[in-house]
């Protein structure tokens, strides 16, 4: 299959998987604290990945492990906690919208820090997509005045972490198998995640029914929203560009808003317009 066709297929499936992650986080927070949720997500993912892909670690060269560790922290560790804490105060759909700042941050960091080339059309497309995201945010703020939007800053920080991650992978790990990167990331994160989990009161509440239900949602999030999605994402970065790969975050609010509506969250006409503008931004930033 041609790379042009493949990258759009990867983008579509990643949008569905990651767009559904925010509602899973919301459900997980019913019985878990943000730190319990983030650490359990990494532990479940690490166990699953090491069970199926431990042998792939041999594909990582010694000098590449420092980049594996960096991408683990920026692409998973910090965002897992930042988005979990943010969603204690803002809707899952708004969290997904803020995540769509990733392509803009990836473009700026790629040009200023990593020396990657970009075209004016990409800037135009990212700007349009960002404008659509702003419409979604402002509409959400108007319709949810009781929410603490200072916590939205944490989601923005999470998006910046993702932007750093995508540029690191493109520049330093393009020749590494996507599965190897993913397994390597979570091999690095397993011990820190366990330490954080056991500094909480998890052992005291693990038997509670609502905690067990939340853990079920997080196990689904870990396997699909983390393990499967990361493999697809790293492959997408390798066959396209950091800007195109990170544009998947523009699709997430659309999927997340759909789940949010089913869960009682609201979607206004302005948000629908913002979603449409977001799609235009994706098209322009990816068009040859």
């Amino acid at each position: 299959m041609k790379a042009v066709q493949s990258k759009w297929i990867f983008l579509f499936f990643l949008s569905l998987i990651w767009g559904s992650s925010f509602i899973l986080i919301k459900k997980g927070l019913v019985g878990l604290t943000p730190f319990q949720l983030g650490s359990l997500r990494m532990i479940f993912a690490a166990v699953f990945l090491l069970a199926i892909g431990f042998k792939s670690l041999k594909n990582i060269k010694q000098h590449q492990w420092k980049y594996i560790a960096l991408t683990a922290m920026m692409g998973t560790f910090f965002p897992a906690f930042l988005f979990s804490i943010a969603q204690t105060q803002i809707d899952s759909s708004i969290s997904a919208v803020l995540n769509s700042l990733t392509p803009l941050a990836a473009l700026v960091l790629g040009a200023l820090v990593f020396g990657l080339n970009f075209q004016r059309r990409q800037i135009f497309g990212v700007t349009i997509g960002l404008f659509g995201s702003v419409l979604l945010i402002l509409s959400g703020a108007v319709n949810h005045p009781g929410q603490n939007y200072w916590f939205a800053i944490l989601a923005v920080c999470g998006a910046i972490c993702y932007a750093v991650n995508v540029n690191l992978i493109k520049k330093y790990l393009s020749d590494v198998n996507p599965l190897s990167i993913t397994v390597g990331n979570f091999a690095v994160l397993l011990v820190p995640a366990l330490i954080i989990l056991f500094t909480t009161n998890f052992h005291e509440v693990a038997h509670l029914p609502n905690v067990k239900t939340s853990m079920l949602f997080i196990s689904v999030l870990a396997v699909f929203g983390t393990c499967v999605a990361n493999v697809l994402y790293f492959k997408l970065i390798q066959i396209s560009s950091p800007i195109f790969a990170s544009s998947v975050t523009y699709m997430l609010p659309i999927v997340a808003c759909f789940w949010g509506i089913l869960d009682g969250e609201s979607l206004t006409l302005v948000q629908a317009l913002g979603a449409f503008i977001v799609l235009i931004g994706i098209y322009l930033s990816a068009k040859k």
Side-chain angles (χ1 to χ4, degrees), residues 2-245:
K2 294 181 179 179
V4 175
Q5 296 174 323
S6 297
K7 70 179 185 180
W8 284 103
I9 294 174
F10 281 121
L11 186 72
F12 174 75
F13 281 106
L14 275 171
S15 300
L16 291 180
I17 295 172
W18 271 342
S20 302
S21 295
F22 297 92
I23 193 67
L24 290 172
I25 292 173
K26 180 179 179 180
K27 296 298 184 182
L29 287 169
V30 172
L32 299 167
T33 69
F35 288 100
Q36 290 169 345
L37 189 155
S39 56
L40 280 171
R41 179 180 181 179
M42 285 181 272
I43 292 167
F44 287 153
V47 171
F48 176 80
L49 285 166
L50 289 170
I52 67 170
F54 180 78
K55 292 182 179 180
S56 67
L57 293 177
K58 65 182 181 181
N59 297 323
I60 303 174
K61 299 175 183 177
Q62 185 174 357
H63 74 276
Q64 293 173 323
W65 274 103
K66 58 179 178 290
Y67 300 116
I68 293 293
L70 279 173
T71 56
M73 301 302 291
M74 301 306 294
T76 299
F77 188 82
F78 293 129
F81 295 115
L82 289 169
F83 281 102
S84 295
I85 296 171
Q87 280 190 221
T88 62
Q89 295 293 326
I90 61 177
D91 280 343
S92 60
S93 55
I94 299 302
S95 181
V97 169
L98 295 172
N99 191 42
S100 66
L101 294 170
T102 299
L104 177 61
L107 179 63
V108 174
L109 290 172
L112 298 180
V113 180
F114 294 92
L116 300 179
N117 296 323
F118 61 91
Q119 300 175 3
R120 291 183 179 180
R121 185 203 68 255
Q122 289 178 309
I123 299 178
F124 186 56
V126 167
T127 303
I128 290 178
L130 181 60
F131 176 71
S133 297
V134 170
L135 283 181
L136 286 166
I137 294 172
L138 294 178
S139 179
V142 169
N143 286 278
H144 304 90
Q147 295 182 353
N148 187 345
Y149 268 74
W150 285 108
F151 278 71
I153 296 175
L154 298 178
V156 173
C157 291
I160 294 173
C161 287
Y162 284 144
V164 174
N165 179 55
V166 71
N167 279 295
L168 285 171
I169 292 170
K170 185 63 178 181
K171 185 166 185 177
Y172 299 110
L173 299 173
S174 286
D175 59 337
V176 182
N177 181 278
L179 179 61
S180 299
I181 299 174
T182 308
V183 177
N185 281 169
F186 285 92
V188 170
L189 294 177
L190 180 57
V191 172
L194 285 169
I195 292 174
I196 290 175
L197 180 64
F198 286 107
T199 58
T200 70
N201 68 333
F202 177 73
H203 64 283
E204 299 174 2
V205 300
H207 66 282
L208 298 177
N210 63 327
V211 174
K212 291 181 179 179
T213 302
S214 293
M215 289 175 64
L216 178 61
F217 284 115
I218 300 310
S219 65
V220 174
L221 175 64
V223 173
F224 292 97
T226 302
C227 300
V228 175
N230 276 10
V231 174
L232 294 177
Y233 188 52
F234 296 154
K235 181 63 177 178
L236 178 61
I237 294 171
Q238 292 174 344
I239 65 174
S240 60
S241 69
I243 301 302
F244 181 86

